[in-house]
Amino acid sequence: MAPTSETLTAERILEATEEVLRRHGPAKATVVDVARALGVSHGSVYRHFRTKAALREAVTKRWLDRTSEKLARIVEETDRDPAVRLRDWLTALFEAKRHKAGDDPELFATYTVLTDENGAVVGEHIAELTAQLTRIITEGAGSGTFAVPDPAVAARAVFQATGRFHDPCHAREWTQPGVDEEFTALVDLLVRGLS
């Protein structure tokens, strides 16, 4: 292996892993492929990620976190009306998922396999997203924008009700004619129901 001039970091390994997954797919991608792409030994990769499963889990978490981080910025805009923030959050979630599916379908398919393997990571991602929704709805209840007795229950219901627009199993539907109108109609209904 040729020595690399850059320090090997977990982030560099995850970036390389994503490229290897894109090229080879989840069934054929190996830690040796990742090490080769980085110009290091596979032992160097294992010093950062003890197993192939740990590496796959970390790259899956990184992929899911990109969405969570974008949505967190909307949650933090507490000077804005909670109903508007809720609409913006749901729209941003739908757009993020739709872009992931449409911009790089091979990588999206790969991550669909990886998320199936990494149920705990997906569970944490869903918990984070519903916590973000809970915060928006709680603030809306506090300001009188929403009239809900339990914001956490309402947040879970909103998340589940909008599943067609963020659950990867519905990805084929996200480009169908009329899907944007259906999404808007659902969000309108949910916001009215919370008020």
Side-chain angles (χ1 to χ4, degrees), residues 10-156:
E11 186 61 25
R12 280 194 58 226
I13 294 169
L14 293 174
E15 288 170 6
T17 301
E18 191 168 280
E19 286 307 311
V20 167
L21 286 165
R22 180 180 283 115
R23 254 192 327 264
H24 301 292
K28 295 182 181 176
T30 68
V31 174
V32 172
D33 294 326
V34 173
R36 189 176 301 124
L38 290 164
V40 299
S41 71
H42 66 280
S44 297
V45 174
Y46 282 125
R47 278 193 277 284
H48 289 271
F49 299 98
R50 297 184 60 76
T51 65
K52 179 181 177 181
L55 177 58
R56 289 165 73 105
E57 180 179 308
V59 78
T60 303
K61 181 176 179 347
R62 178 178 181 258
W63 188 69
L64 294 171
D65 284 350
R66 289 181 191 140
T67 300
S68 303
E69 291 163 4
K70 287 179 188 174
L71 297 170
R73 290 192 284 275
I74 295 168
V75 175
E76 295 302 323
E77 297 171 345
T78 57
D79 57 333
R80 296 177 55 228
D81 176 59
V84 173
R85 284 172 45 222
L86 178 60
R87 286 177 188 278
D88 289 350
W89 190 95
L90 291 168
T91 301
L93 176 61
F94 182 32
E95 286 304 314
K97 298 292 182 162
R98 185 161 41 181
H99 282 296
K100 282 181 177 183
D103 294 350
D104 196 341
E106 293 83 14
L107 193 58
F108 186 77
T110 294
Y111 277 110
T112 300
V113 171
L114 292 180
T115 57
D116 286 346
E117 289 176 6
N118 293 290
V121 171
V122 173
E124 291 167 11
H125 176 67
I126 291 170
E128 183 176 359
L129 295 180
T130 54
Q132 290 179 1
L133 274 174
T134 300
R135 183 168 164 202
I136 293 171
I137 294 171
T138 298
E139 291 168 6
S143 70
T145 302
F146 301 136
V148 293
D150 188 335
V153 169
R156 285 191 302 276

